[in-house]
Amino acid sequence: MVQLYNLHPFGSQQVVPCKLEPERFCGGGSDALFVAAGCKVEAFAVAGQELCQPRCAFSTLGRVLRLVYSEAGDYLVAIEEKNKAKFLRAYVNWRNKRTENSRVCIRMVGHNAQAPFQETFRDQMSIIEMPLSEAPLCMSCCPVKGDLLVGCANKLVLFSLKYQVVNEEFSSLDFERSLIIHIHNITPVEISFCADYVAVVSDLEVLILKLESNPNHGESVHRHPHKTNSPGKQGEGISNEPLQLESDDFVFCQKPTELLGEKSEQSGLSVTLESTGLDGEKRKYSRVQHLLYRRFAPDISSYAFSDDIKLHSLQLLPIYQTGSLPSERRTRSRDKELLSLFCFFSLPHAGYLYLVVKSVELLSVYQYPERSQQAVLTPQFLHVITSNNLQCFTVRCSAAAAREEDPYVDSTLKACPPVSMDVCALRMQLFIGLKAICHFKDHIILLTKADPEPLPDRRESPRRLLSRQGTGTNKQRTPPAAEAGWSLYIVNTISPVQLYREMVEYSTAYKTTKTQSCIHLLSEAHLLVRAALLDAELDPGEEAELLEAFKDSCGHLGDCYSRLDTQESHLALPYYKMSGLSMAEVLARVDWAAEDGSQRYERGLIFYVSHSLYENLDEELSEDLAEKVAQMFHAAEPKQLPHVLCSPAMRSIDPHTALSYLRTLDTSGFSSVLVTLTKAAMALRMGDRDMYRREMESHPEMKLVCGFILEPRLLIQQKGQIVPTELAVHLKETQPGLLVGAVLGLQKNNRIGIEEADSFFKVLCGQDGGAAPQLLVDFWEAQLAARVPEVLLQGLFSKLTSQYTWRLSTRQPPDTTPLRTSKDLINACSHYGLIYPWVNVLLSSDSLADKNYTDDLSKLQSLLCGPSFDIASAVPFLEPLSEDTAAGLSIQVLCRTRLKEYEQCIDTLLDRCPEAVIPYASHELKDENRTLWWKKLLPELCQRIKCGGEKYQLYLSSLKETLSVVAVDLELRDFLNVLPEDGTVAFFLPYLLYCSQKKSLT
């Protein structure tokens, strides 16, 4: 369905001062217009205040049948007819054509002139003759590369654009015949070529191809359609042979067909590539991909003449990459990167717009109210002429391109009107006798003739309409003699911003009725601005104005979706985000007052506000707006009210008002503990400690933890950085265990990250340096007790080890009382192991002044004795502990023991604490380490006894214990071998007797 609006996309108009009736005309880039009449071409300057001034004129070889300009290369190419022969000629360097009689250089394509002659190309226009073996029928220039594609009967010839460098300041332009595309069973009437994509139409058939290069540059690969005689294929209405009409009583026609992608190879059209270029390997095409084949069938009841059923106005429209819309547009380079490509073609009463890049998709079908004569597609509009009307339709190119360019479109961040939205006609402008149209930049060129040609009296046989049109379609009718009453107009299209404002003003007529028409028109205005922003040649002033209009359009669309209760009401969120409006500015646009006193809040507004509040924006609403938001959710979404009140943006709300809303909630339908915690937070803000205490005592601690998990913002608010709430500060002083448990619950349920939790405790306790507050250490210990995932264990071990070590080395006590002692952790957490017995013996000789130090030491020792601790990774953290103290000595010996360095540990203990040697050996020297009793410990003790000293008695008692163990473990012969040779027999005799008698005893 096409909706019709009466807007004004057309501005002023001016008559082009042509001397003869124009037969062909085309736009010349952004500043020129070419008009061909008879054997002459006039060029007009279209720029500045003087809209259309003659620039130059030059003669052609014959009457111009086709005229095309290429901005890439700045050349004009024409198909000319003289003496019933057709010629293809390119006009290069035409801007230097001073007068009509100025000298012109004519050369053959591919002709390499000598250097002195090449210098003459700089100052005069050159005409390049391009001979063809068959008569040219149509042509198209690639807007990206400037290559020229020429259509002949059953084939297309590609001329690649080349630049021959003459010197550093000048390059001459030339062409090379590089490729022939043989297309059998179809005669091109119109062709279009853009960035390796080729579109061809005959009278009732459309074919779209893509030329591809073989990366190996091998021989050409010719792709033929699949031929089959199976009934299934014939059922598609496809035949490789034209129908032969054998009876005058019946009319036969092929059924309409649309084949997309690989299926289009089944069209019956054979496509073969023939490479003819001598160089230019980089552009060598070796294969072709079929994208679309569509065949139409005439409607005999609607059309009576063959001219009425032909396709016309074939066009490939490229849209180039510009960067994300509407911001962060990247610096534009001279190389154009294709983003999207669209193909348009039209029947007399319907036009078809396809997307052909990445996927082939029909975007829009245009139904014309009158029979069309010609149409031209632009990124913003489709302009169609009938006999007496210039019609302007909207297009969906920018909507499709936006989805190709920006991956965040159709998300909560960004949105764009859908491609499937109905097109609309903005204007039907009356022009009498319209004959032809073309478009370039911001201008539309119209040819009118007041006295149209009379229609022929003889009606064509309908049978002629139904067969595949052959060579008869190529015949050009001889135009009648020039008659009075013709005019060539340049019509200015008004600026996109001006038309956008008119569309917005027009949409106000629908705003009060709350219909989809308001959204539709504002969506059209939005797409208009989007399409204008796709222009890669915008100056900074234009771009800034368009970006402002873009944001404004997003704001209007956000208003529509927030006020209408539709299935797309969620789109209010991305449109408001793209508008750049703050939440306060959006809420200021809401009409809070209702005529009957009642207020109905629509889903779109609630969706936007709730998401904005959940995102913790760095914005604080005024007390009035915060109260209105609370009232809205209390009336429309009471379940969300506790979450809304916890948002940082609602900080300014009066806590008495918030409590009044919370007290009216029915807690049976949703979590009562969340309502309780929200009440407690409000009571704390009011300074009512009694109410706070009553609310907190109404639920056990474990349930309160569940409430914090439901709403983390009761404890933590983020405004660019983590900010603890008043409730969190109060819990730190009164219930630190609940606070640690709550944050642990948040971390385990992925409501807060590990680093965020650490930062929270540091900010809460006011310690940003290297030392961690005790509350954070309590949190780390609670994480170990809660069985965190394996990947987090070593990180926690490192944190705790470094913290325990720092406190012990600096004698720094905890800033608060630890929540758990070492005994609590050993009983509750498997990662804290039982401390080895010999460690207590080692420490008995040294007493610490404060039991807090003892507790930190016990926790560190317990970690080192635990089964999960990686000792090797912990050694660097333990270096600050000196072995001069018993605490440091115990840690170092524990580390070496876990690393199985038993001999070093025995030496250390014998030197520093001999009384601990036997307990150490009894605990550690077992199994495969049992031999160290007699290989290491026994010789060391004997050696130290010989030296005497103050520790003689300790060594002696240790030796006796050692001999007792060795006598039990070894046989008599082995025992004798390990005894020292210089020992006293009387001392060792009891152990020898025991060793000799133990077998009989057993």
Side-chain angles (χ1 to χ4, degrees):
M1 182 179 71
V2 177
Q3 302 193 32
L4 178 62
Y5 299 99
N6 190 23
L7 297 169
H8 301 83
F10 309 120
S12 61
Q13 67 185 42
Q14 183 176 349
V15 176
V16 180
C18 302
K19 298 178 181 179
L20 299 175
E21 179 182 355
E23 297 177 5
R24 299 287 182 267
F25 55 90
C26 67
S30 61
D31 64 344
L33 170 66
F34 298 99
V35 181
C39 297
K40 185 177 181 180
V41 175
E42 293 181 90
F44 297 89
V46 184
Q49 298 294 330
E50 300 295 334
L51 187 59
C52 189
Q53 294 294 319
R55 170 175 270 165
C56 67
F58 49 88
S59 299
T60 61
L61 182 64
R63 185 169 59 88
V64 177
L65 303 180
R66 303 266 182 164
L67 192 66
V68 175
Y69 170 80
S70 173
E71 187 171 2
D74 193 27
Y75 68 88
L76 185 71
V77 62
I79 297 177
E80 305 169 13
E81 184 181 45
K82 183 177 183 180
N83 298 329
K84 298 184 179 180
K86 296 180 180 178
F87 305 90
L88 182 65
R89 307 174 96 204
Y91 296 84
V92 181
N93 206 21
W94 56 270
R95 296 180 185 272
N96 286 334
K97 179 71 172 175
R98 307 301 180 190
T99 63
E100 190 170 353
N101 296 325
S102 300
R103 292 185 60 184
V104 174
C105 173
I106 302 178
R107 54 192 170 98
M108 193 69 67
V109 64
H111 174 66
N112 293 324
Q114 298 298 324
F117 294 98
Q118 288 182 343
E119 287 290 344
T120 62
F121 296 164
R122 181 202 307 268
D123 301 322
Q124 63 183 11
M125 184 177 76
S126 299
I127 301 176
I128 303 176
E129 300 273 3
M130 289 182 257
L132 294 167
S133 60
E134 298 183 20
L137 305 177
C138 49
M139 58 188 173
S140 175
C141 296
C142 174
V144 179
K145 299 178 181 178
D147 297 342
L148 172 64
L149 188 67
V150 182
C152 304
N154 295 321
K155 70 179 180 181
L156 309 176
V157 182
L158 177 62
F159 291 90
S160 298
L161 183 64
K162 297 173 59 178
Y163 293 92
Q164 296 181 352
V165 178
V166 178
N167 52 46
E168 295 180 355
E169 299 178 356
F170 177 69
S171 298
S172 65
L173 186 147
D174 199 1
F175 296 89
E176 177 194 6
R177 184 187 286 105
S178 59
L179 182 70
I180 298 177
I181 308 172
H182 298 276
I183 305 180
H184 304 287
N185 299 331
I186 187 173
T187 300
V189 175
E190 293 185 28
I191 60 174
S192 187
F193 182 47
C194 179
D196 303 335
Y197 290 84
V198 177
V200 184
V201 298
S202 63
D203 285 344
L204 290 174
E205 291 174 290
V206 181
L207 179 65
I208 302 179
L209 309 169
K210 182 182 180 183
L211 303 177
E212 296 181 339
S213 299
N214 189 344
N216 298 325
H217 295 300
E219 296 182 0
S220 296
V221 179
H222 307 316
R223 299 183 60 180
H224 299 276
H226 302 289
K227 297 182 180 181
T228 178
N229 294 323
S230 64
K233 295 300 179 184
Q234 294 297 330
E236 296 291 335
I238 302 171
S239 174
N240 293 336
E241 301 295 335
L243 291 178
Q244 301 295 328
L245 305 182
E246 299 178 353
S247 173
D248 293 337
D249 299 328
F250 297 95
V251 174
F252 298 94
C253 65
Q254 295 174 324
K255 65 184 295 186
T257 302
E258 183 186 45
L259 301 175
L260 304 177
E262 295 181 356
K263 291 184 178 180
S264 60
E265 296 185 21
Q266 305 169 6
S267 63
L269 302 179
S270 176
V271 179
T272 306
L273 301 185
E274 177 187 352
S275 180
T276 61
L278 298 178
D279 54 9
E281 285 293 319
K282 293 183 180 180
R283 295 187 182 181
K284 185 175 181 180
Y285 298 109
S286 58
R287 55 189 176 185
V288 63
Q289 177 184 358
H290 293 247
L291 300 179
L292 170 69
Y293 172 78
R294 183 158 185 176
R295 179 176 58 231
F296 296 89
D299 185 354
I300 303 300
S301 62
S302 299
Y303 308 115
F305 303 101
S306 61
D307 289 344
D308 291 338
I309 58 171
K310 293 180 181 179
L311 289 165
H312 64 78
S313 304
L314 174 68
Q315 185 178 350
L316 287 176
L317 176 70
I319 290 182
Y320 304 104
Q321 191 87 30
T322 58
S324 299
L325 290 175
S327 61
E328 299 180 0
R329 294 166 62 88
R330 68 184 185 185
T331 303
R332 304 178 182 94
S333 62
R334 304 176 82 181
D335 297 329
K336 296 180 179 179
E337 182 181 349
L338 188 67
L339 173 65
S340 296
L341 186 67
F342 304 89
C343 182
F344 175 81
F345 50 85
S346 182
L347 286 171
H349 284 268
Y352 301 86
L353 179 62
Y354 280 85
L355 172 67
V356 295
V357 170
K358 294 185 179 179
S359 63
V360 183
E361 177 185 355
L362 178 62
L363 295 186
S364 304
V365 177
Y366 295 86
Q367 300 292 338
Y368 312 137
E370 301 177 12
R371 175 184 172 275
S372 66
Q373 298 187 160
Q374 194 176 352
V376 61
L377 180 69
T378 72
Q380 291 93 351
F381 301 113
L382 173 68
H383 299 288
V384 182
I385 59 170
T386 63
S387 58
N388 294 316
N389 274 303
L390 168 62
Q391 302 175 3
C392 177
F393 295 89
T394 57
V395 296
R396 302 290 167 259
C397 298
S398 59
R403 288 170 170 81
E404 291 288 338
E405 185 174 42
D406 197 339
Y408 295 104
V409 171
D410 299 328
S411 68
T412 58
L413 297 175
K414 297 179 182 179
C416 181
V419 175
S420 58
M421 187 173 63
D422 290 339
V423 298
C424 69
L426 295 186
R427 185 74 174 175
M428 296 180 65
Q429 187 74 38
L430 179 64
F431 278 91
I432 303 300
L434 284 168
K435 295 298 180 184
I437 182 175
C438 81
H439 175 275
F440 73 102
K441 203 169 174 61
D442 300 327
H443 313 291
I444 296 172
I445 315 300
L446 298 174
L447 175 61
T448 65
K449 188 176 181 182
D451 300 321
E453 300 177 23
L455 295 176
D457 295 331
R458 183 177 61 85
R459 294 180 177 269
E460 301 286 349
S461 170
R463 289 175 299 171
R464 181 177 175 269
L465 316 181
L466 307 175
S467 62
R468 190 188 302 273
Q469 299 296 322
T471 56
T473 60
N474 304 325
K475 297 179 180 179
Q476 300 289 336
R477 293 183 301 170
T478 304
E483 301 176 12
W486 60 265
S487 294
L488 189 65
Y489 295 100
I490 293 183
V491 179
N492 275 339
T493 55
I494 66 173
S495 69
V497 173
Q498 184 178 348
L499 182 56
Y500 162 75
R501 290 168 181 162
E502 183 179 349
M503 296 172 81
V504 171
E505 183 179 358
Y506 196 99
S507 68
T508 57
Y510 301 99
K511 189 173 293 186
T512 55
T513 59
K514 291 190 176 182
T515 65
Q516 287 291 336
S517 296
C518 181
I519 293 180
H520 186 274
L521 186 53
L522 287 173
S523 297
E524 297 288 3
H526 178 85
L527 290 179
L528 170 66
V529 178
R530 266 192 184 271
L533 283 168
L534 290 171
D535 186 358
E537 298 180 357
L538 291 174
D539 60 51
E542 290 177 320
E543 183 175 353
E545 190 177 23
L546 284 170
L547 287 174
E548 190 63 32
F550 180 88
K551 293 179 180 180
D552 184 66
S553 71
C554 293
H556 287 301
L557 283 172
D559 292 341
C560 283
Y561 286 110
S562 67
R563 295 167 186 170
L564 301 183
D565 191 9
T566 66
Q567 293 181 349
E568 295 82 22
S569 57
H570 64 280
L571 293 175
L573 176 63
Y575 278 119
Y576 274 141
K577 282 187 176 181
M578 291 167 25
S579 70
L581 295 172
S582 65
M583 185 164 51
E585 290 172 330
V586 170
L587 293 174
R589 298 159 75 108
V590 177
D591 184 12
W592 298 99
E595 296 180 358
D596 57 354
S598 63
Q599 181 69 55
R600 181 169 180 253
Y601 304 99
E602 303 296 350
R603 288 186 299 172
L605 179 62
I606 296 173
F607 186 83
Y608 163 74
V609 175
S610 62
H611 274 72
S612 299
L613 293 176
Y614 270 107
E615 289 174 2
N616 298 323
L617 301 176
D618 190 10
E619 177 184 0
E620 188 172 316
L621 298 177
S622 65
E623 182 179 350
D624 181 54
L625 285 178
E627 184 174 344
K628 289 180 178 179
V629 169
Q631 180 184 0
M632 176 176 67
F633 280 93
H634 179 262
E637 292 284 345
K639 291 183 179 181
Q640 299 297 324
L641 185 58
H643 299 283
V644 169
L645 294 174
C646 292
S647 172
M650 298 288 288
R651 174 70 183 170
S652 298
I653 192 170
D654 183 4
H656 294 86
T657 303
L659 276 173
S660 66
Y661 287 131
L662 290 170
R663 290 192 181 105
T664 61
L665 293 181
D666 179 12
T667 58
S668 62
F670 54 97
S671 178
S672 60
V673 66
L674 181 57
V675 178
T676 297
L677 288 173
T678 310
K679 288 180 182 177
M682 293 299 166
L684 200 61
R685 286 179 55 186
M686 294 166 53
D688 193 338
R689 298 300 175 90
D690 293 334
M691 181 189 299
Y692 167 81
R693 193 177 302 107
R694 287 195 303 270
E695 295 293 341
M696 295 297 288
E697 292 175 353
S698 63
H699 295 284
E701 281 198 0
M702 286 304 299
K703 196 168 184 180
L704 292 176
V705 169
C706 295
F708 287 120
I709 294 173
L710 290 174
E711 183 46 77
R713 292 177 298 180
L714 284 164
L715 298 176
I716 306 171
Q717 294 184 352
Q718 292 177 326
K719 293 183 178 180
Q721 59 181 359
I722 292 178
V723 178
T725 63
E726 293 180 26
L727 179 58
V729 174
H730 188 72
L731 288 177
K732 170 183 173 292
E733 303 297 334
T734 58
Q735 294 176 280
L738 173 60
L739 179 61
V740 170
V743 178
L744 180 62
L746 295 177
Q747 190 262 324
K748 292 193 67 175
N749 287 273
N750 298 321
R751 304 304 300 273
I752 186 175
I754 298 174
E755 297 300 327
E756 290 178 311
D758 291 358
S759 300
F760 166 75
F761 282 110
K762 288 182 179 180
V763 174
L764 180 65
C765 299
Q767 295 186 17
D768 296 330
Q774 178 57 41
L775 206 58
L776 178 55
V777 176
D778 292 330
F779 174 66
W780 291 338
E781 293 171 347
Q783 283 183 285
L784 279 182
R787 297 181 181 180
V788 295
E790 192 72 26
V791 293
L792 303 179
L793 274 181
Q794 296 308 319
L796 283 173
F797 288 151
S798 300
K799 292 176 182 178
L800 287 169
T801 302
S802 60
Q803 192 59 36
Y804 294 149
T805 303
W806 181 84
R807 286 184 185 175
L808 290 170
S809 61
T810 60
R811 292 299 179 100
Q812 184 72 31
D815 56 311
T816 57
T817 303
L819 295 179
R820 297 190 183 190
T821 64
S822 58
K823 291 182 180 180
D824 296 334
L825 290 173
I826 292 172
N827 293 330
C829 178
S830 61
H831 300 298
Y832 284 88
L834 288 173
I835 300 175
Y836 301 153
W838 56 267
V839 176
N840 296 325
V841 177
L842 184 62
L843 293 175
S844 62
S845 60
D846 184 32
S847 59
L848 297 175
D850 194 325
K851 70 174 184 178
N852 286 323
Y853 299 122
T854 306
D855 201 49
D856 281 337
L857 179 60
S858 298
K859 289 177 180 179
L860 180 56
Q861 292 169 342
S862 179
L863 268 185
L864 294 176
C865 296
S868 309
F869 197 81
D870 184 4
I871 300 297
S873 63
V875 170
F877 298 101
L878 300 172
E879 289 180 355
L881 287 177
S882 173
E883 293 188 15
D884 296 338
T885 64
L889 179 63
S890 66
I891 298 301
Q892 297 299 334
V893 174
L894 267 175
C895 286
R896 291 172 186 168
T897 301
R898 291 294 305 274
L899 294 174
K900 299 183 179 180
E901 298 174 358
Y902 300 108
E903 295 186 27
Q904 295 181 19
C905 292
I906 291 172
D907 290 336
T908 301
L909 291 177
L910 286 173
D911 292 336
R912 297 288 305 281
C913 188
E915 61 268 30
V917 168
I918 297 304
Y920 177 84
S922 301
H923 188 269
E924 303 297 340
L925 303 184
K926 298 177 181 179
D927 301 327
E928 68 273 8
N929 300 317
R930 192 76 173 175
T931 60
L932 292 178
W933 279 94
W934 52 86
K935 289 184 179 181
K936 175 64 179 177
L937 186 57
L938 180 60
E940 288 290 340
L941 287 172
C942 292
Q943 184 65 31
R944 280 170 167 75
I945 287 175
K946 290 178 183 179
C947 297
E950 60 182 13
K951 295 183 180 181
Y952 175 80
Q953 293 298 327
L954 287 175
Y955 292 142
L956 184 61
S957 63
S958 298
L959 177 59
K960 291 179 180 180
E961 293 289 339
T962 303
L963 288 171
S964 299
V965 173
V966 174
V968 172
D969 287 354
L970 296 182
E971 296 296 331
L972 181 60
R973 185 186 300 271
D974 296 329
F975 185 47
L976 286 171
N977 290 333
V978 300
L979 289 178
E981 296 179 357
D982 55 350
T984 304
V985 175
F987 180 80
F988 294 106
L989 187 59
Y991 302 101
L992 287 169
L993 291 174
Y994 177 80
C995 185
S996 63
Q997 297 173 358
K998 65 180 179 181
K999 179 176 288 188
S1000 61
L1001 292 174
T1002 58

